[in-house]
């Protein structure tokens, strides 16, 4: 029985910052951003758009009435959680009007959380093939104004509906993974901004990739000649590019060139949305399928997932017959084209807005009228959504 991604889509806020504008404001050469890290724009969320809202808006794009009744497991993977106790999935369950007879949980392990959710969902469907699992990878990457990480911010969510006999990608049951305790990136409970050791994080990311690639070859999980694409977690596109480049000399030139060509298709959305943490790998999957029409059913894709701290996994999936019919490239391009470009002053004002934390009431307005859900108010330390 094949199990994998039956439907998928993404949502991102309706406003963005152009990184040329940011470079000029920070008195930096724009090519440091455009070429040095390979990014062009980054999504900017409004105060009414938290991880719950982003997740629910992404999920609304793919769920039918039948899906809502068949979902037996709901996972929200995020490192931007809104509560230290209550799972974001419970808010999402209500917003999506899902059946009450399901498991609803939140997962966290930095940017690896989405893959942890996908693998847990795969195991769930293997045991309950008549049910489906909904995995929502939703995050807001926030580092602070005029910090070294400012240019690698972003916001968005990816929705993955996992089922038996999937219509997009069948996930292989075997994979390789590694965990180790390192301090390359973290965010203490008392901080709203993440802390990172950028260069060190890149080193860990690349070292774990090479470790897992070597382990996969030793276990003969796949042959490099059979891989039609290599997808990577993309906090910024240059980081994934370095992983692919590390294979040069290890692969036949025709295989390396194929992976490099398709990698360029996989970064298109990430370059204009920015870092969405748990959803970044899966945004690259959507980008690849939207931009490369040469892929065919039966093609095998390798996926490298990485979460600082650190956990990494390398797994494969196979495109199934008719996968193209489940893609929505035109709606994605329309959503991105209709976003509002913020000025630096507007971006900085948006960044500095805060939700109340003293128990008072704060009413919010909807920033994206095209999206079905938003945070309406905070009152008595509770969040209320529509």
């Amino acid at each position: 029985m094949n199990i994998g991604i039956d439907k998928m889509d993404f949502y991102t806020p309706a406003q963005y910052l152009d990184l040329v504008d940011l470079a000029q404001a920070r008195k930096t050469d724009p090519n440091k951003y455009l070429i040095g890290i390979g990014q062009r724009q980054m999504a900017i969320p409004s105060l009414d758009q938290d991880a719950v809202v982003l997740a629910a808006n992404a999920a609304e794009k793919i769920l039918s009435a039948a899906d809502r009744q068949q979902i037996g497991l709901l996972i929200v993977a995020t490192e931007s959680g809104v509560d230290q106790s209550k799972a974001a999935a419970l808010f999402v369950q209500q917003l999506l009007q899902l059946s009450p007879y399901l498991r609803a949980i939140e997962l966290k392990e930095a940017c690896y959380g989405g893959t942890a959710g996908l693998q847990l969902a795969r195991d769930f469907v293997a045991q309950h093939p008549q049910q489906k699992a909904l995995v929502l990878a939703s995050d807001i990457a926030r580092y602070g104004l005029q910090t070294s990480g400012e240019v690698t911010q972003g916001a968005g969510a990816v929705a993955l509906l996992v089922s038996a006999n999937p219509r997009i990608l069948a996930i292989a049951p075997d994979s390789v993974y590694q965990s180790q305790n390192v301090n390359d990136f973290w965010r203490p409970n008392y901080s709203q901004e993440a802390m990172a050791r950028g260069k060190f994080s890149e080193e860990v990311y690349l070292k774990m990739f090479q470790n897992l690639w070597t382990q996969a070859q030793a276990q003969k999980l796949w042959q490099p000649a059979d891989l039609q694409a290599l997808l990577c977690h993309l906090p910024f596109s240059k980081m994934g590019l370095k992983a692919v480049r590390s294979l040069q000399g290890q692969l036949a030139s025709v295989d390396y060139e194929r992976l490099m060509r398709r990698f360029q298709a996989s970064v298109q959305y990430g370059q204009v949305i920015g870092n969405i943490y748990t959803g970044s790998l899966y945004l690259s999957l959507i980008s690849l399928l939207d931009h490369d029409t040469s892929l065919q059913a039966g093609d095998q894709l390798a996926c490298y997932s990485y979460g600082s701290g650190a956990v990494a996994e390398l797994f494969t999936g196979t495109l199934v017959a008719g996968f193209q019919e489940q893609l929505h490239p035109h709606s994605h391009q329309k959503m991105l084209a209709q976003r509002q470009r913020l000025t630096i002053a507007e971006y900085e004002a948006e960044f500095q807005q805060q939700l109340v934390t003293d128990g008072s009431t704060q009413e919010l307005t909807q920033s994206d009228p095209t999206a079905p859900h938003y945070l309406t108010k905070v009152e008595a330390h509770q969040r209320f959504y529509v």
Side-chain angles (χ1 to χ4, degrees), residues 273-307:
I273 291 174
N275 191 359
I276 61 170
Y277 289 158
T278 53
S280 294
L281 171 62
Y282 302 97
L283 183 64
S284 72
L285 170 60
I286 296 174
S287 183
L288 171 67
L289 299 185
D290 277 5
H291 291 95
D292 191 326
T293 59
S294 66
L295 288 163
Q296 301 177 4
D299 283 348
Q300 191 176 34
L301 314 179
C303 302
Y304 175 56
S305 181
Y306 175 82

Side-chain angles (χ1 to χ4, degrees), residues 44 145 342-354:
I44 307 298
L145 300 177
L342 298 182
T343 65
I344 291 294
E346 290 169 333
Y347 151 66
E348 292 183 343
E350 194 83 68
F351 189 93
Q352 294 174 21
Q353 291 185 8
Q354 300 287 334

